[in-house]
Amino acid sequence: MTAETLYDKIWDDHVVTGTDASALLYVDLHLIHEVTTPQAFAGLELAGRAVRRPDRTLAIADHNVPTEGQAEGIAAVADPESRLQLATFDTHVRARAIDYLPMGHADNGIVHVVAPELGRSRPGMVIVCGDSHTSTHGAFGALAFGIGTSEVEHVLATQTLRTAKAANMAVDIIGTLGPQVGAKDIALALIAQIGTSGGTGAVIEYRGAVVDALSMEARMTLCNMSIEAGARAGLIAPDATTRAYLAARAGGAASADLRSDPDAVFDRHVTLDMTGIAPMVTWGTNPAQAIAIDAPVPDPITLPEADRAAAERALAYMDVAPGCTLIGLPIDLVFIGSCTNSRIEDLRAAAAVARGGHVAPGVRALVVPGSRAVRRQAEAEGLDVIFTAAGFEWREPGCSMCLGMNPDKLTPGQRCASTSNRNFEGRQGPGGRTHLMSPAMAAAAALSGGITDVRAVAA
Amino acid sequence: MTPFDTLTGIAAPLLQDDIDTDLIIPGRFLKTVTRTGLGDGLFDSLRHDEGGAERADFVLNQPAFHGAAILIAGDNFGCGSSREHAPWALLDYGIRCVIAPGFGDIFFSNSVNCGLLPARMARADVAALAEAVAAGGVRLTIDLIAQQVSGAGEWSFDIPPAARARLLQGLDPIGETLQQLAAIEAYEARG
Ligand code: SF4
C-alpha cells in the first residue's frame, strides 16, 4: 500500500462511489444554522424530498440571534427580517425532527463551539456545514469544511456530498512561542506568510512541536482560520490531548490512532518558525495584512508589485499610516467573541488582562461567550465579575459582531479591536474598521483605549 | 438550474484582487429566506455611498457597462464565506460568468451549483482582456463547450471537467445522487 496522509485516509474511508475528480462523499455530521438553510428547505419542499438522516443533522440558531434577552424567544427578536429567518428555520427543523438547539436553549451557542463541546465532532469524521469556518472541527482530526446552500440541500436529501479531492498541504509549526503569543498569533503569522490564497485548493495538516503542545481550544482557533488562508480545511492528527478532551464528553474516548503515514507525500509544504514572533495584529482589510504588534505598517512601495494596489486601498479604508506601528491607535469598540476566540481559554486570557482594570472612557467592549456552556463555566470561575467590574458587557452567546447581522455592529468609520476572523471591508458593519488580534490583545486595547502591546501591560 | 452553453453579453472589468464574499454581498443582506432579489445588495459598498446614492466611479454604474453579463475580476475572487448568496446576487443582477485568475474554493463550487460560470484564465490574459473591454460596451461571447472567449480577440479558459459537465447539463444533482441510493445504503450498512 502506498503511504497516505490523514486527509487521504479520511477521504478514502468516506467515498461511496466515484473518483477523486468527482466523488460522492458520505457525511457523518451535518451542522445547520438559520442563514444558509431556509432556501435549502424550500428546495426540498418543492421537490417533495425528505431529510434522509435527521439523526446525523444538528441544528443551531446562531448567526443573527440577539445577544441579550434570548429566553424571550423568537417572537421577541426586534428585527423583523431576523425574526422571520429564525422562525422559518425553527419551523422547518421541528417539522423534520432534527436535533435542535434553539435560541435560549441551555446548550446553544455558535455551532462551531457547541458541536465539539457536546462531543459530536470526532476523529475520522466528515463534517460539513453551510459556513466556511466549519474548518474548526479539523482540530479533532475530522475532515470538516464549509459548503453552500445547494450543497446543504444535497446533504439533507442524500447524506452525501458530490465533491472533488483537494491537494495535501503540510504546515509545520516549529520554534517556541513567546509570552502572550498563542494560536491566533500563529494563524495570523501563517496567513501573513502564505497569503489569503496560500492554501487554495488544499487541505492543510498542521504538525510540529508547537501544534503538539496546543490545547484543543487553541487547535480549534488555528484550524478555524484555515479558510482565511484559502484552504478547504485544516486538520490536526488526534493524540492524547484529543483523547482526553473527548473522554470527558458525551460519546466518550476516541478509538484508534489516525495519522498520516510517516512517508506520506504532501503536494505542498510550508514551515513556520514561531521563535521571536510577537503578538500579531492586522492593519488592513484581509487577514494576510497582519504584522507583529511592534512592527511598522508596511509602506506599499516596499511590497511586491502584485500587493501594492490592495495595500494602498486598505490603508485608505482603514485610515492608518504606513511606516509606524499601530500602538496607540484609538479604538471605539472591542469585540471578544466569534467561533475563533470565544472558548473558555480565550475568556480566561482576556480576563487575566482585564482583572482590576477599567475599559477606557468612550470605548464600548463586548464579551460574547461562544456558548451557554462557556458562559456557565466562565461564571463559575468568576470571569463575568471580572469583566463587568472592568466595564465590559457580558452578553449571551451567538455570532454577534463577527459579521454584524444582529444589532451588534459597527457604524461607518468606527474602529474595532476584534478577536474574530475577518477584517474585510464592512464585515462588522458598513464602513467599520476591524483589527484582528488575540483575546489578550483585545482586552489590553479595551483598557488603554487604543491598540496596545499586551506584553507591556501583562506580566 | 439553467444549463449553460454559450453566453453573449457586455463585459465589465473589476480587477481588484481578493474581492471577498462580504464585498460581493454584505452580511446584512443575508436575512432573506429566498434565493432571489439579492441583486440590489450586490457590491453594495462599492456601488453605493453611505447615503445609498450610486458611486459614479464604480464600473457597473457607468452607462457603458449597464446590463453587464460578464465580470472580469482579480485573483482569489469570492474568497471568504460559504454564502451562496454571493453567486445568487451576481445572477440576480444579471452576471452569468466571472473570469478571473483564481477563485475562492467554496465560491467556485457554489457558482457551478447555481449556474454561474467561474472561468479561470492566466493573470496576464485577464489583464489583457480587461484592457480590451475597458472602453465599455464590448460584447463578449463565452463558449463553454470550446472553452473559448471571443469578441475582443480569442482567449481560452480553464474549468475542471466535472464542473464543466455540471454547468452544461444543468441537471438536478440531488435526483442524480438519489439514483445511487443503493450504494449509499450499502455504505451505511457497513457500520
Ligand atoms: S462566529 Fe463569525 S465566523 Fe464564526 S460562524 Fe459565526 S459568523 Fe461565522
Side-chain angles (χ1 to χ4, degrees):
Chain A
M1 245 193 86
T2 49
E4 288 188 310
T5 65
L6 174 54
Y7 172 49
D8 295 335
K9 292 179 188 184
I10 302 175
W11 173 273
D12 289 349
D13 189 44
H14 287 81
V15 173
V16 172
T17 143
T19 61
D20 282 0
S22 175
L24 206 57
L25 210 60
Y26 195 77
V27 173
D28 299 302
L29 177 63
H30 185 198
L31 305 168
I32 60 175
H33 65 84
E34 77 278 19
V35 175
T36 56
T37 46
Q39 294 87 346
F41 280 122
L44 288 183
E45 239 159 39
L46 206 64
R49 289 175 176 140
V51 174
R52 179 167 162 70
R53 294 294 299 267
D55 58 321
R56 288 190 177 277
T57 312
L58 176 63
I60 302 185
D62 58 4
H63 277 62
N64 68 38
V65 300
T67 53
E68 55 189 353
Q70 293 184 355
E72 291 161 44
I74 295 172
V77 172
D79 179 66
E81 289 176 297
S82 295
R83 194 165 64 235
L84 174 64
Q85 198 172 57
L86 288 162
T88 307
F89 183 64
D90 191 85
T91 307
H92 281 298
V93 163
R94 289 183 195 276
R96 292 163 194 274
I98 291 168
D99 227 1
Y100 179 33
L101 304 175
M103 186 177 78
H105 184 281
D107 287 326
N108 86 337
I110 306 170
V111 62
H112 308 311
V113 176
V114 170
E117 270 171 6
L118 295 178
R120 295 290 296 262
S121 311
R122 305 186 66 83
M125 277 186 160
V126 168
I127 301 174
V128 297
C129 174
D131 185 282
S132 58
H133 292 95
T134 308
S135 59
T136 310
H137 310 264
F140 291 83
L143 174 59
F145 53 93
I147 57 177
T149 296
S150 296
E151 293 173 321
V152 168
E153 186 179 336
H154 190 281
V155 178
L156 286 170
T158 70
Q159 205 54 35
T160 65
L161 183 70
R162 168 114 10 227
T163 187
K165 195 169 179 208
N168 278 291
M169 176 165 174
V171 172
D172 283 313
I173 301 170
I174 59 166
T176 15
L177 299 180
Q180 299 287 353
V181 174
K184 184 62 161 288
D185 306 294
I186 299 173
L188 290 173
L190 176 67
I191 300 164
Q193 180 176 318
I194 68 174
T196 51
S197 56
T200 299
V203 167
I204 294 177
E205 182 175 342
Y206 298 99
R207 319 180 300 186
V210 171
V211 177
D212 294 343
L214 293 178
S215 67
M216 286 314 296
E217 278 86 353
R219 291 178 189 187
M220 285 188 253
T221 301
L222 180 58
C223 287
N224 174 278
M225 296 286 286
S226 306
I227 181 73
E228 307 313 331
R232 196 91 225 269
L235 275 174
I236 294 174
D239 62 5
T241 306
T242 324
R243 284 189 285 275
Y245 182 98
L246 289 169
R249 284 173 168 75
S255 49
D257 266 8
L258 189 62
R259 54 184 57 253
S260 293
D261 295 327
D263 46 349
V265 181
F266 286 81
D267 305 295
R268 295 182 228 166
H269 193 174
V270 167
T271 300
L272 172 68
D273 186 348
M274 286 302 293
T275 306
I277 291 193
M280 300 288 293
V281 58
T282 60
W283 56 267
T285 53
N286 74 52
Q289 290 171 330
I291 47 174
I293 182 65
D294 51 8
V297 174
D299 190 324
I301 292 291
T302 64
L303 296 175
E305 204 185 326
D307 296 339
R308 253 176 242 165
E312 270 162 17
R313 188 186 159 89
L315 288 172
Y317 181 87
M318 294 296 291
D319 191 25
V320 299
C324 37
T325 73
L326 293 170
I327 295 173
L329 186 65
I331 47 146
D332 305 293
L333 276 111
V334 174
F335 172 59
I336 297 174
S338 90
C339 59
T340 311
N341 281 128
S342 64
R343 297 179 184 81
I344 189 66
E345 283 188 1
D346 301 315
L347 302 194
R348 285 179 191 140
V353 174
R355 184 191 300 270
H358 204 278
V359 173
V363 172
R364 181 177 174 212
L366 276 74
V367 183
V368 184
S371 70
R372 294 221 164 247
V374 169
R375 195 175 138 100
R376 274 194 300 275
Q377 177 68 26
E379 287 173 354
E381 296 177 17
L383 306 185
D384 59 322
V385 178
I386 295 174
F387 284 124
T388 49
F392 289 79
E393 297 175 30
W394 181 243
R395 313 288 290 197
E396 294 183 59
C399 294
S400 181
M401 202 176 271
C402 176
L403 89 167
M405 274 192 81
N406 80 349
D408 310 333
K409 61 177 100 168
L410 303 184
T411 55
Q414 280 191 321
R415 191 179 297 283
C416 181
S418 180
T419 68
S420 56
N421 42 54
R422 288 191 174 136
N423 50 343
F424 297 158
E425 285 181 31
R427 167 79 177 181
Q428 295 188 289
R433 300 176 175 132
T434 304
H435 295 274
L436 303 178
M437 60 189 77
S438 71
M441 284 279 288
L447 301 195
S448 82
I451 294 177
T452 302
D453 186 342
V454 64
R455 297 171 303 178
V457 296
Chain B
M1 119 198 167
T2 329
F4 192 115
D5 50 21
T6 63
L7 164 72
T8 298
I10 288 179
L14 183 61
L15 278 193
Q16 202 176 312
D17 284 346
D18 295 314
I19 294 200
D20 56 71
T21 49
D22 281 84
L23 267 183
I24 299 172
I25 183 88
R28 58 188 176 278
F29 292 101
L30 307 190
K31 296 181 198 169
T32 168
V33 293
T34 62
R35 291 174 197 243
T36 50
L38 285 156
D40 289 345
L42 179 72
F43 297 129
D44 184 57
S45 63
L46 300 175
R47 262 166 77 200
H48 304 121
D49 66 18
E50 279 155 21
E54 283 199 353
R55 293 183 196 273
D57 58 347
F58 183 62
V59 61
L60 296 176
N61 290 338
Q62 295 163 14
F65 296 101
H66 275 174
I70 299 157
L71 198 66
I72 300 169
D75 198 10
N76 206 23
F77 185 87
C79 60
S81 95
S82 67
R83 58 189 71 164
E84 198 164 307
H85 308 66
W88 293 341
L90 287 160
L91 286 168
D92 196 63
Y93 183 87
I95 289 170
R96 291 204 59 207
C97 171
V98 181
I99 300 172
F103 296 91
D105 272 355
I106 312 179
F107 175 84
F108 188 90
S109 38
N110 283 343
S111 296
V112 170
N113 284 333
C114 52
L116 183 140
L117 168 63
R120 260 192 216 111
M121 219 183 250
R123 199 178 176 99
D125 287 356
V126 170
L129 182 57
E131 189 67 43
V133 305
V138 177
R139 294 170 75 81
L140 298 181
T141 295
I142 316 268
D143 179 344
L144 179 54
I145 295 173
Q147 294 183 215
Q148 289 280 335
V149 179
S150 57
E154 293 277 332
W155 315 80
S156 56
F157 63 85
D158 281 336
I159 177 132
R164 179 170 169 272
R166 278 295 319 283
L167 281 161
L168 286 172
Q169 290 159 1
L171 293 176
D172 163 24
I174 297 177
E176 268 175 80
T177 298
L178 288 173
Q179 288 170 13
Q180 313 270 351
L181 203 55
I184 299 171
E185 283 169 351
Y187 181 94
E188 286 174 329
R190 75 173 205 176

